[in-house]
Amino acid sequence: NNQQVCRISMSYQEGSSWSAYEGRDWAYVGGPHDEPLESGISITQNSQGSSSSNGDDPYHASDFAFQLVFGCQTSLTGLFKTQLADGIMGMDNGNNAFWRQMSSASAVDERQFSLCFSKQPEASKEGTLAGTLTMGGVDPRLHETPMVYAKNLHATGFYTVRLRNIYLREGGGQTALSEDLLKVRRISISENDLNSGEVIVDSGTTDTYFVSRLATPFKEAWKQVLGTDYNHNKVALTNEQLDALPTILFQIEGDGSNVDDPLAPNLAGNLDPANPRDVVIAMPARHYMEYSAKEGLYTARFYLEEGSGSVIGANAMMGHDVLFDIDNQRIGFAESKCDYFELTGLKPPSSSGGWDDSGSSGGSCSWWCWFLIVIAIIGACICCALCYKRREETKMIIVEPVPHSEVDAEDRDLTYDEDHEGARFVDGDDRSYHSDDMNENVRYGDHDVHDGGDPYMDDGVQDDGRYEEEIRSRASYRDEEEIHSRASYRGEEDIHSRASYREDEDHYSRASYREDVAHEGVGYGNEQHLPPRMT
């Protein structure tokens, strides 16, 4: 009943919005791009919480299918119409969150998930390999440093953390570990001002936004380090200049479970001896400077304009495997390249959506793939056969001069010699047609005739003895298909009607070669189409 549809909508501060109605369907995470795995869905299996796969093989993704309640969008505005992502996968700590529905259906055992975003210089409509999503836990194989944990302040809603400090590290660097603490400059701001309105970790926010109270001290520290003002103007940078920009370091309150090691990566250690087990994450320039391939320019995407509340967005999460552990109320961070294909040994999916797992049965070419290959081979063979046949049927036109006295003026009408395989045109006495004053052989063949075999000369051009060379340069055939399409003769009647040579003056002015009058050409096409003139 249409009257019982549950309609929902959402709008965002930057202007985007969507409207939808609530729907329900089977869903699973992962698997091949644009290739459904319907045969893998087992309602009984998933409802009982058992699974035969650990999730490494994308062709087993449907083993984790479950009944998902979601919003089926009916309208979009703003960035949803222009950016690659046109929807939102709700992952907050809410009742209808994707991870919670998956856990409630016993598709996974643990109420955890982790996001690992890699930095790609450009995005593609065919798909951008942006990292890894792990449902039900975390995969340590992705990690380049041990995972450390920050305290999640709220049991529901947004994932909220408390910042201790923000730093600028001179000389850049991709990791949080700082070997030279003298190059690390603390931003002078109180902890209360830094956390005004709270700070959330939100993958659904593309960039990072902080309260305006941070703007003045941050810009002062930036100018002391670089000698230039911090702004959002577009700028051209070399790779060396980009890597030399300061790295932004965030010190986040730990949950108490981290090791007490002053040299441990991603921990404050000697950077803040009073809170050595706090988490430190790095945001290098390659993450906060966004590159436009179209313009070849960079723009800073670390904003200091919020009235209340700050967001550590997706560009700050990049380069980390970030674990959201709901039951333990903590957020884990481990540095990572987030390379799913390096982890699994798979190759990235092709544009057609198929995967290559270098021998796994899941990634092999399916029956339709082999069917298309066979069709392609058969098509290629047919094309080759047709081309060979057309080559054999290519017609040759041979025009040979003979002494003028041997030509009977009353037998100038040309007829088709069907006994000659090469489409030879002769006069009524089976003698080759000739030009009165032509003393050089003119042969039309695969390599000697151009543009349909009709040499054209301007009215003022005189025969200077280079007639054969002129013929070869202007009347050479480019290929056999051009010969067949432009110089083929359909039948004897069409030849007589379109290519007969008359004795009147018009015949001599249009179809004979003379020294004092330019050759106008012999047209074998449409009667109303005159051949072009060449100068």
Side-chain angles (χ1 to χ4, degrees), residues 49-120:
S50 62
S51 174
S52 61
S53 170
N54 64 1
D56 281 356
D57 188 342
Y59 283 88
H60 290 168
S62 57
D63 291 343
F64 301 89
F66 63 99
Q67 284 261 317
L68 175 68
V69 176
F70 62 97
C72 185
Q73 293 175 333
T74 57
S75 66
L76 299 169
T77 65
L79 292 177
F80 288 114
K81 299 183 70 174
T82 58
Q83 66 186 10
L84 289 179
D86 57 2
I88 288 182
M89 186 178 184
M91 300 295 283
D92 68 340
N93 196 354
N95 292 331
N96 293 321
F98 186 93
W99 66 265
R100 187 181 291 275
Q101 293 191 60
M102 191 174 186
S103 175
S104 298
S106 299
V108 292
D109 297 330
E110 301 292 337
R111 302 198 326 156
Q112 302 175 356
F113 66 93
S114 58
L115 300 172
C116 199
F117 295 151
S118 62
K119 176 66 174 179
Q120 301 296 328

Side-chain angles (χ1 to χ4, degrees), residues 470-484:
E470 183 72 8
I471 294 294
R472 289 180 179 275
S473 63
R474 298 185 177 227
S476 61
Y477 277 102
R478 294 189 180 92
D479 52 46
E480 292 169 326
E481 186 175 353
E482 184 74 5
I483 298 171
H484 193 275

Side-chain angles (χ1 to χ4, degrees), residues 310-359:
S310 301
V311 182
I312 297 176
N315 61 348
M317 296 170 63
M318 284 179 181
H320 301 87
D321 190 22
V322 183
L323 170 68
F324 297 87
D325 186 347
I326 284 80
D327 290 332
N328 294 310
Q329 206 167 323
R330 63 182 183 175
I331 302 173
F333 295 88
E335 292 182 358
S336 174
K337 291 187 294 186
C338 305
D339 192 335
Y340 171 79
F341 300 101
E342 181 179 281
L343 171 67
T344 61
L346 295 169
K347 294 181 180 179
S350 63
S351 58
S352 61
W355 293 68
D356 181 359
D357 61 358
S358 302

Side-chain angles (χ1 to χ4, degrees), residues 144-222:
E144 296 184 337
T145 62
M147 179 161 279
V148 293
Y149 300 93
K151 183 186 295 184
N152 179 18
L153 301 182
H154 299 312
T156 60
F158 291 112
Y159 303 101
T160 308
V161 297
R162 184 168 183 84
L163 285 178
R164 299 266 198 201
N165 291 298
I166 291 185
Y167 306 87
L168 286 182
R169 185 172 63 201
E170 298 181 38
Q174 303 296 310
T175 68
L177 183 61
S178 301
E179 297 179 357
D180 187 354
L181 296 182
L182 295 177
K183 292 185 177 181
V184 180
R185 185 183 300 271
R186 177 183 175 275
I187 306 299
S188 180
I189 184 174
S190 69
E191 189 173 323
N192 287 336
D193 285 344
L194 188 58
N195 291 277
S196 175
E198 296 191 325
V199 180
I200 66 172
V201 179
D202 181 27
S203 63
T205 303
T206 305
D207 301 322
T208 295
Y209 299 83
F210 269 82
V211 291
S212 58
R213 299 181 187 186
L214 179 62
T216 298
F218 181 89
K219 292 180 179 180
E220 288 176 352
W222 181 278

Side-chain angles (χ1 to χ4, degrees), residues 52 102 128 131 171 192 231 239 270-271 289 361 401 404 408 449 507 513:
S52 61
M102 191 174 186
T128 300
N192 287 336
N231 54 56
N239 286 329
N270 293 331
L271 191 61
M289 296 296 291
S361 61
H404 182 271
D408 187 348
V449 182
H507 163 73
Y513 297 92

Side-chain angles (χ1 to χ4, degrees), residues 59 355 357 360-373:
Y59 283 88
W355 293 68
D357 61 358
S360 171
S361 61
S364 60
C365 187
S366 57
W367 68 267
W368 59 265
C369 176
W370 289 113
F371 175 77
L372 292 177
I373 292 175

